Amino acid sequence: MMLDSVDLAAIWLTFKLASITTVLLLLLGTPLAWWLARTRSPLKGPIGAVVALPLVLPPTVLGFYLLVAMGPNGLLGQLTQNLGLGLLPFTFAGLVVGSVLYSMPFVVQPLQNAFEAIGERPLEAAATLRASPWDCFLSVVLPLARPGFVTASILGFAHTVGEFGVVLMIGGNIPEKTRVVSVQIYDHVEAMEYAQAHWLAGGMLLFSFIVLLVLYSSRFKQGWRG
């Protein structure tokens, strides 16, 4: 049995969510990763630990507290209501917020490692040529850290695609609005529609394998060239 319109809608919504989340994570994660890589502030440890929390925290725990925070009595919920945005739970925007927070370490940590690997010499050389900090970042740091950006983009996108607990807690199960592929697979299994579940689950398995293959192949090529 092939995929029906509901399955295709879930696939499209998942792709849309992962794409938006990845772009936002790169925009937000790049300055954060740069700060973590360069700072000597005592706040580096606590902030780094907060960023890495989703690696060890059960998704349902993070989803629960986000649901409370974005609810009518939560700080974030009151803020969005005062701004005229309404409440974020059970909306696509809420899924984006939850996905950004849940996938944050998969983008920030590769970028931080890439920035730390650059070292001081390229930055000092650029400074002797009177390059401004912004010019130095654009012309020196970004090209040297490109492998880190590739890794961060792939991991951030793939991790968002595979989310379940967080998106289910925040978005619920609304067709064409918050029902992503992982939730759709759960629905098929719960309804004992194993054929449809096999199509989606097999696609997820193939997607995950291709992502890892591309990631490890690129790392092998970089190591071989080095």
Coordinates of all heavy atoms in Angstrom, one line a residue, residues 25-105:
L25 N 18.5 27.6 13.9 CA 19.5 27.1 14.7 C 20.9 27.6 14.2 O 21.8 28.0 15.1 CB 19.6 25.6 14.7 CG 18.5 24.9 15.6 CD1 18.5 23.4 15.4 CD2 18.9 25.2 17.1
L26 N 21.1 27.7 12.9 CA 22.4 28.3 12.4 C 22.5 29.7 12.7 O 23.6 30.2 13.1 CB 22.5 28.0 10.9 CG 22.7 26.6 10.5 CD1 22.6 26.5 9.0 CD2 24.0 26.0 11.0
L27 N 21.4 30.5 12.6 CA 21.4 31.9 12.9 C 21.6 32.2 14.4 O 22.4 33.1 14.8 CB 20.1 32.6 12.5 CG 19.8 32.6 11.0 CD1 18.5 33.2 10.7 CD2 20.9 33.5 10.3
L28 N 21.0 31.4 15.3 CA 21.1 31.6 16.7 C 22.3 30.8 17.3 O 23.0 31.3 18.2 CB 19.8 31.0 17.4 CG 18.5 31.7 17.1 CD1 17.4 31.0 17.7 CD2 18.6 33.2 17.5
G29 N 22.6 29.7 16.7 CA 23.7 28.9 17.3 C 25.1 29.3 16.9 O 26.0 29.1 17.7
T30 N 25.2 30.0 15.8 CA 26.6 30.5 15.4 C 27.2 31.5 16.4 O 28.3 31.3 16.9 CB 26.5 31.1 14.0 OG1 26.1 30.1 13.0 CG2 27.9 31.6 13.6
P31 N 26.5 32.6 16.7 CA 27.1 33.5 17.7 C 27.3 32.8 19.1 O 28.2 33.1 19.8 CB 26.1 34.6 17.8 CG 24.9 34.1 17.2 CD 25.2 33.1 16.2
L32 N 26.3 31.9 19.5 CA 26.5 31.3 20.7 C 27.7 30.3 20.8 O 28.4 30.3 21.7 CB 25.2 30.5 21.0 CG 25.1 29.6 22.3 CD1 25.4 30.5 23.5 CD2 23.8 28.9 22.5
A33 N 27.8 29.6 19.7 CA 29.0 28.7 19.6 C 30.3 29.4 19.6 O 31.3 29.0 20.2 CB 28.9 27.8 18.3
W34 N 30.3 30.6 18.9 CA 31.5 31.4 18.8 C 31.9 31.9 20.2 O 33.0 32.0 20.6 CB 31.3 32.6 17.8 CG 32.4 33.5 17.7 CD1 32.5 34.8 18.1 CD2 33.7 33.3 17.1 NE1 33.7 35.4 17.9 CE2 34.5 34.5 17.2 CE3 34.3 32.1 16.6 CZ2 35.8 34.6 16.8 CZ3 35.6 32.2 16.1 CH2 36.3 33.4 16.2
W35 N 30.8 32.4 20.9 CA 31.1 32.9 22.3 C 31.6 31.7 23.2 O 32.6 31.9 24.0 CB 29.8 33.4 22.9 CG 29.9 34.0 24.2 CD1 30.4 35.2 24.6 CD2 29.7 33.3 25.5 NE1 30.4 35.4 25.9 CE2 30.0 34.2 26.5 CE3 29.2 32.1 25.8 CZ2 29.8 33.9 27.9 CZ3 29.1 31.7 27.1 CH2 29.4 32.6 28.2
L36 N 31.0 30.6 23.1 CA 31.4 29.4 23.9 C 32.9 29.0 23.6 O 33.6 28.6 24.5 CB 30.5 28.2 23.7 CG 29.1 28.4 24.4 CD1 28.2 27.2 23.9 CD2 29.2 28.4 25.9
A37 N 33.2 29.2 22.3 CA 34.6 28.8 21.9 C 35.6 29.8 22.3 O 36.8 29.4 22.5 CB 34.6 28.6 20.4
R38 N 35.3 31.0 22.5 CA 36.2 32.1 22.7 C 36.3 32.6 24.1 O 37.3 33.2 24.6 CB 35.9 33.3 21.8 CG 35.9 32.9 20.3 CD 37.3 32.7 19.7 NE 38.1 33.9 19.8 CZ 39.4 34.0 19.6 NH1 40.1 33.0 19.2 NH2 40.0 35.2 19.6
T39 N 35.2 32.5 24.8 CA 35.0 33.2 26.1 C 35.8 32.5 27.2 O 36.1 31.3 27.2 CB 33.6 33.3 26.6 OG1 33.5 34.1 27.7 CG2 33.0 31.9 26.9
R40 N 36.2 33.3 28.2 CA 36.8 32.7 29.4 C 35.9 33.0 30.6 O 36.3 32.9 31.8 CB 38.2 33.3 29.7 CG 39.2 32.9 28.6 CD 40.6 33.5 28.8 NE 41.5 33.2 27.8 CZ 42.8 33.6 27.8 NH1 43.2 34.4 28.8 NH2 43.6 33.2 26.8
S41 N 34.7 33.4 30.3 CA 33.7 33.8 31.4 C 33.4 32.5 32.2 O 33.3 31.4 31.7 CB 32.5 34.3 30.8 OG 31.4 34.5 31.7
P42 N 33.2 32.7 33.5 CA 32.7 31.6 34.4 C 31.4 31.1 34.0 O 31.0 30.0 34.4 CB 32.7 32.2 35.8 CG 32.7 33.7 35.6 CD 33.4 33.9 34.3
L43 N 30.6 31.8 33.2 CA 29.3 31.4 32.7 C 29.4 30.4 31.6 O 28.3 29.8 31.2 CB 28.5 32.6 32.3 CG 28.1 33.6 33.3 CD1 27.4 34.8 32.7 CD2 27.3 33.0 34.4
K44 N 30.6 30.2 31.1 CA 30.7 29.2 30.0 C 30.2 27.8 30.3 O 29.5 27.2 29.6 CB 32.2 29.2 29.5 CG 32.4 28.2 28.4 CD 33.9 28.1 27.9 CE 34.1 27.1 26.8 NZ 35.5 27.1 26.3
G45 N 30.6 27.4 31.5 CA 30.2 26.0 32.0 C 28.7 25.9 32.1 O 28.1 25.0 31.5
P46 N 28.0 26.8 32.9 CA 26.6 26.7 33.0 C 25.8 26.8 31.7 O 24.9 26.1 31.5 CB 26.3 27.8 34.0 CG 27.5 28.1 34.8 CD 28.6 27.8 33.8
I47 N 26.2 27.8 30.9 CA 25.5 28.0 29.6 C 25.7 26.8 28.7 O 24.8 26.3 28.0 CB 26.0 29.3 28.9 CG1 25.5 30.5 29.8 CG2 25.4 29.4 27.5 CD1 25.9 31.8 29.2
G48 N 27.0 26.3 28.7 CA 27.2 25.1 27.9 C 26.4 23.9 28.4 O 25.9 23.1 27.6
A49 N 26.2 23.8 29.7 CA 25.4 22.7 30.2 C 24.0 22.8 29.8 O 23.3 21.8 29.5 CB 25.6 22.6 31.8
V50 N 23.5 24.1 29.9 CA 22.1 24.3 29.5 C 21.8 23.9 28.0 O 20.8 23.3 27.6 CB 21.7 25.8 29.7 CG1 20.3 26.1 29.1 CG2 21.6 26.1 31.2
V51 N 22.8 24.3 27.2 CA 22.7 24.0 25.7 C 22.7 22.5 25.5 O 21.9 22.0 24.7 CB 23.9 24.6 25.0 CG1 23.9 24.1 23.5 CG2 23.7 26.1 25.0
A52 N 23.5 21.8 26.3 CA 23.6 20.3 26.1 C 22.5 19.5 26.8 O 22.4 18.3 26.7 CB 25.0 19.8 26.6
L53 N 21.6 20.2 27.6 CA 20.6 19.4 28.4 C 19.8 18.5 27.5 O 19.5 17.4 27.9 CB 19.7 20.4 29.1 CG 20.0 20.8 30.5 CD1 19.0 21.8 31.1 CD2 20.0 19.5 31.4
P54 N 19.3 18.9 26.3 CA 18.5 17.9 25.5 C 19.2 16.6 25.2 O 18.5 15.7 24.8 CB 18.2 18.7 24.2 CG 18.3 20.2 24.6 CD 19.4 20.2 25.7
L55 N 20.5 16.6 25.3 CA 21.2 15.3 25.0 C 20.9 14.2 26.1 O 21.0 13.0 25.8 CB 22.8 15.6 25.0 CG 23.3 16.4 23.9 CD1 24.8 16.7 24.0 CD2 23.0 15.8 22.5
V56 N 20.6 14.7 27.3 CA 20.4 13.7 28.4 C 19.0 13.8 29.0 O 18.5 12.9 29.7 CB 21.4 13.9 29.5 CG1 22.8 13.6 29.0 CG2 21.4 15.3 30.1
L57 N 18.3 14.9 28.7 CA 17.0 15.1 29.2 C 15.9 14.3 28.4 O 15.9 14.4 27.2 CB 16.6 16.6 29.3 CG 15.5 17.0 30.2 CD1 15.8 16.8 31.6 CD2 15.2 18.5 29.9
P58 N 15.0 13.6 29.0 CA 13.9 12.9 28.3 C 13.1 13.9 27.5 O 12.8 15.0 28.1 CB 13.1 12.2 29.4 CG 14.0 12.0 30.5 CD 15.0 13.2 30.5
P59 N 12.8 13.7 26.3 CA 12.1 14.6 25.5 C 10.7 15.0 26.1 O 10.3 16.2 25.9 CB 11.8 13.9 24.1 CG 12.9 12.9 24.1 CD 13.2 12.5 25.5
T60 N 10.1 14.1 26.8 CA 8.8 14.4 27.4 C 8.9 15.4 28.5 O 8.0 16.2 28.7 CB 8.1 13.2 27.9 OG1 9.0 12.4 28.7 CG2 7.6 12.3 26.8
V61 N 10.1 15.4 29.2 CA 10.3 16.4 30.3 C 10.5 17.8 29.7 O 9.8 18.7 30.1 CB 11.6 16.0 31.1 CG1 11.9 17.1 32.1 CG2 11.3 14.7 31.8
L62 N 11.3 17.9 28.6 CA 11.5 19.2 28.0 C 10.2 19.6 27.4 O 9.8 20.8 27.5 CB 12.5 19.0 26.9 CG 12.8 20.3 26.1 CD1 13.3 21.4 27.0 CD2 13.8 20.0 25.0
G63 N 9.4 18.7 26.8 CA 8.1 19.1 26.2 C 7.1 19.6 27.2 O 6.4 20.5 27.0
F64 N 7.1 18.9 28.4 CA 6.2 19.3 29.4 C 6.5 20.7 29.9 O 5.6 21.5 30.0 CB 6.3 18.3 30.6 CG 5.6 18.8 31.8 CD1 4.2 18.8 31.9 CD2 6.3 19.2 32.9 CE1 3.5 19.2 33.0 CE2 5.6 19.6 34.1 CZ 4.2 19.6 34.1
Y65 N 7.7 21.0 30.2 CA 8.1 22.3 30.7 C 7.9 23.4 29.7 O 7.5 24.6 30.0 CB 9.5 22.4 31.3 CG 9.6 21.7 32.6 CD1 10.3 20.5 32.8 CD2 8.9 22.3 33.7 CE1 10.3 19.9 34.1 CE2 9.0 21.7 35.0 CZ 9.7 20.5 35.2 OH 9.7 19.9 36.4
L66 N 8.1 23.1 28.4 CA 7.8 24.1 27.4 C 6.3 24.3 27.2 O 5.9 25.4 27.0 CB 8.4 23.5 26.0 CG 9.9 23.7 25.8 CD1 10.3 23.0 24.5 CD2 10.3 25.1 25.9
L67 N 5.6 23.2 27.4 CA 4.1 23.4 27.3 C 3.6 24.3 28.5 O 2.7 25.1 28.3 CB 3.5 22.0 27.4 CG 2.0 21.9 27.2 CD1 1.6 22.3 25.8 CD2 1.5 20.5 27.5
V68 N 4.2 24.1 29.6 CA 3.8 25.0 30.8 C 4.2 26.4 30.5 O 3.5 27.4 30.8 CB 4.4 24.4 32.1 CG1 4.2 25.4 33.2 CG2 3.9 23.1 32.5
A69 N 5.5 26.6 30.0 CA 6.0 27.9 29.8 C 5.2 28.7 28.7 O 5.0 29.9 28.8 CB 7.5 27.9 29.4
M70 N 4.7 27.9 27.7 CA 4.0 28.5 26.6 C 2.5 28.6 26.8 O 1.8 29.1 26.0 CB 4.3 27.8 25.3 CG 5.8 27.9 24.9 SD 6.1 27.3 23.2 CE 5.7 25.6 23.4
G71 N 2.1 28.1 27.9 CA 0.6 28.0 28.3 C 0.1 29.4 28.7 O 0.9 30.4 28.8
P72 N -1.1 29.5 29.0 CA -1.7 30.9 29.3 C -1.1 31.4 30.6 O -1.2 32.7 30.8 CB -3.2 30.6 29.5 CG -3.3 29.1 29.7 CD -2.1 28.5 28.9
N73 N -0.6 30.6 31.5 CA -0.1 31.1 32.8 C 1.4 31.1 32.8 O 2.0 31.5 33.8 CB -0.6 30.2 33.9 CG -2.1 30.3 34.1 OD1 -2.7 31.3 33.9 ND2 -2.7 29.1 34.4
G74 N 2.1 30.7 31.7 CA 3.5 30.7 31.6 C 4.1 32.0 31.2 O 3.4 32.8 30.6
L75 N 5.3 32.3 31.5 CA 6.0 33.5 31.1 C 6.0 33.7 29.6 O 5.7 34.8 29.1 CB 7.4 33.6 31.7 CG 7.5 33.6 33.2 CD1 9.0 33.6 33.6 CD2 6.9 34.9 33.7
L76 N 6.4 32.7 28.9 CA 6.4 32.8 27.4 C 5.0 32.9 26.8 O 4.8 33.7 25.9 CB 7.1 31.6 26.8 CG 7.3 31.6 25.3 CD1 8.1 32.8 24.9 CD2 8.0 30.3 24.8
G77 N 4.0 32.2 27.4 CA 2.6 32.3 27.0 C 2.1 33.7 27.2 O 1.4 34.3 26.4
Q78 N 2.4 34.3 28.4 CA 1.9 35.7 28.6 C 2.5 36.7 27.7 O 1.9 37.6 27.3 CB 2.2 36.0 30.1 CG 1.4 35.2 31.1 CD 1.7 35.6 32.5 OE1 2.6 36.4 32.8 NE2 1.1 34.9 33.5
L79 N 3.8 36.4 27.4 CA 4.5 37.3 26.5 C 3.9 37.3 25.1 O 3.7 38.3 24.5 CB 6.0 37.0 26.4 CG 6.9 37.8 25.4 CD1 6.9 39.2 25.7 CD2 8.3 37.2 25.3
T80 N 3.7 36.1 24.6 CA 3.1 36.0 23.2 C 1.7 36.5 23.1 O 1.3 37.1 22.1 CB 3.1 34.5 22.8 OG1 2.4 33.7 23.7 CG2 4.5 34.0 22.6
Q81 N 1.0 36.4 24.2 CA -0.4 36.9 24.3 C -0.4 38.5 24.3 O -1.2 39.1 23.6 CB -1.2 36.4 25.5 CG -1.6 35.0 25.4 CD -2.3 34.5 26.6 OE1 -3.6 34.5 26.6 NE2 -1.6 34.1 27.6
N82 N 0.6 39.0 25.0 CA 0.7 40.5 25.1 C 1.1 41.1 23.8 O 0.8 42.2 23.4 CB 1.7 40.9 26.2 CG 1.1 40.6 27.6 OD1 -0.1 40.6 27.8 ND2 2.0 40.4 28.6
L83 N 1.9 40.3 23.0 CA 2.4 40.7 21.7 C 1.3 40.5 20.6 O 1.5 40.8 19.4 CB 3.7 40.0 21.3 CG 4.9 40.3 22.2 CD1 6.1 39.5 21.8 CD2 5.2 41.8 22.1
G84 N 0.2 39.9 21.0 CA -0.9 39.6 20.0 C -0.6 38.4 19.2 O -1.3 38.2 18.1
L85 N 0.3 37.5 19.6 CA 0.6 36.3 18.9 C -0.2 35.1 19.3 O -0.2 34.1 18.6 CB 2.1 36.0 19.0 CG 3.0 37.1 18.6 CD1 4.5 36.7 18.9 CD2 2.9 37.4 17.1
G86 N -1.0 35.2 20.4 CA -1.7 34.1 20.9 C -0.9 33.1 21.6 O 0.3 33.4 21.9
L87 N -1.4 31.9 21.8 CA -0.6 30.9 22.5 C 0.0 30.0 21.5 O -0.5 29.7 20.4 CB -1.6 30.1 23.4 CG -2.2 30.8 24.6 CD1 -3.2 29.9 25.3 CD2 -1.1 31.3 25.5
L88 N 1.2 29.5 21.8 CA 2.0 28.7 20.9 C 1.7 27.2 21.0 O 1.9 26.5 20.0 CB 3.5 28.9 21.2 CG 4.0 30.3 20.9 CD1 5.5 30.4 21.1 CD2 3.7 30.7 19.4
P89 N 1.3 26.6 22.1 CA 1.0 25.2 22.1 C 0.0 24.8 21.0 O -1.0 25.5 20.8 CB 0.5 24.9 23.5 CG 1.1 26.0 24.3 CD 1.1 27.2 23.4
F90 N 0.2 23.6 20.4 CA -0.7 23.0 19.4 C -0.7 23.9 18.2 O -1.8 24.0 17.5 CB -2.1 22.8 20.0 CG -2.0 22.0 21.3 CD1 -2.4 22.6 22.5 CD2 -1.6 20.7 21.3 CE1 -2.3 21.9 23.7 CE2 -1.5 20.0 22.5 CZ -1.9 20.6 23.7
T91 N 0.4 24.6 17.9 CA 0.5 25.3 16.6 C 1.9 25.0 16.0 O 2.8 24.4 16.7 CB 0.5 26.8 16.9 OG1 1.6 27.2 17.6 CG2 -0.8 27.3 17.6
F92 N 2.0 25.3 14.7 CA 3.3 25.0 14.0 C 4.4 25.9 14.6 O 5.5 25.4 14.8 CB 3.1 25.3 12.5 CG 4.4 25.0 11.8 CD1 4.8 23.7 11.4 CD2 5.2 26.1 11.4 CE1 5.9 23.5 10.7 CE2 6.4 25.8 10.7 CZ 6.7 24.5 10.3
A93 N 4.1 27.1 15.0 CA 5.1 28.0 15.6 C 5.6 27.4 16.9 O 6.8 27.5 17.2 CB 4.5 29.4 15.9
G94 N 4.7 26.8 17.7 CA 5.1 26.1 18.9 C 6.1 24.9 18.6 O 7.0 24.7 19.4
L95 N 5.8 24.2 17.5 CA 6.7 23.1 17.1 C 8.1 23.6 16.8 O 9.1 23.0 17.1 CB 6.1 22.4 15.9 CG 4.9 21.5 16.1 CD1 4.6 20.7 14.8 CD2 5.1 20.5 17.3
V96 N 8.1 24.8 16.1 CA 9.4 25.4 15.8 C 10.2 25.7 17.0 O 11.4 25.5 17.1 CB 9.2 26.6 14.9 CG1 10.5 27.3 14.7 CG2 8.6 26.2 13.5
V97 N 9.6 26.4 18.0 CA 10.2 26.8 19.2 C 10.8 25.5 20.0 O 11.9 25.5 20.4 CB 9.3 27.5 20.2 CG1 9.9 27.8 21.5 CG2 8.9 28.9 19.5
G98 N 9.9 24.5 20.1 CA 10.4 23.3 20.8 C 11.5 22.6 20.0 O 12.5 22.1 20.6
S99 N 11.4 22.6 18.7 CA 12.4 21.9 17.9 C 13.8 22.6 18.0 O 14.8 22.0 18.0 CB 12.0 21.8 16.4 OG 10.8 21.0 16.3
V100 N 13.7 24.0 18.0 CA 15.0 24.7 18.1 C 15.7 24.4 19.4 O 16.9 24.2 19.4 CB 14.7 26.3 18.0 CG1 15.9 27.1 18.4 CG2 14.3 26.6 16.5
L101 N 14.9 24.4 20.5 CA 15.5 24.1 21.8 C 16.0 22.7 21.9 O 17.1 22.4 22.4 CB 14.5 24.4 22.9 CG 14.1 25.9 23.1 CD1 13.1 26.0 24.1 CD2 15.3 26.7 23.4
Y102 N 15.2 21.8 21.3 CA 15.6 20.3 21.5 C 16.8 20.0 20.6 O 17.6 19.1 21.0 CB 14.4 19.5 21.1 CG 14.6 18.0 21.4 CD1 15.0 17.6 22.6 CD2 14.3 17.1 20.4 CE1 15.2 16.2 22.9 CE2 14.5 15.7 20.7 CZ 14.9 15.3 21.9 OH 15.1 14.0 22.1
S103 N 16.9 20.6 19.4 CA 18.0 20.3 18.5 C 19.2 21.2 18.7 O 20.2 21.1 18.0 CB 17.6 20.3 17.1 OG 16.6 19.3 16.8
M104 N 19.2 22.1 19.6 CA 20.2 23.1 19.8 C 21.6 22.5 20.0 O 22.6 22.9 19.3 CB 19.9 24.0 21.0 CG 20.9 25.1 21.3 SD 20.9 26.4 20.1 CE 19.4 27.2 20.6
P105 N 21.8 21.5 20.8 CA 23.2 21.0 21.0 C 23.8 20.3 19.7 O 25.0 20.3 19.5 CB 23.1 20.0 22.1 CG 21.6 19.6 22.1 CD 20.9 20.8 21.7

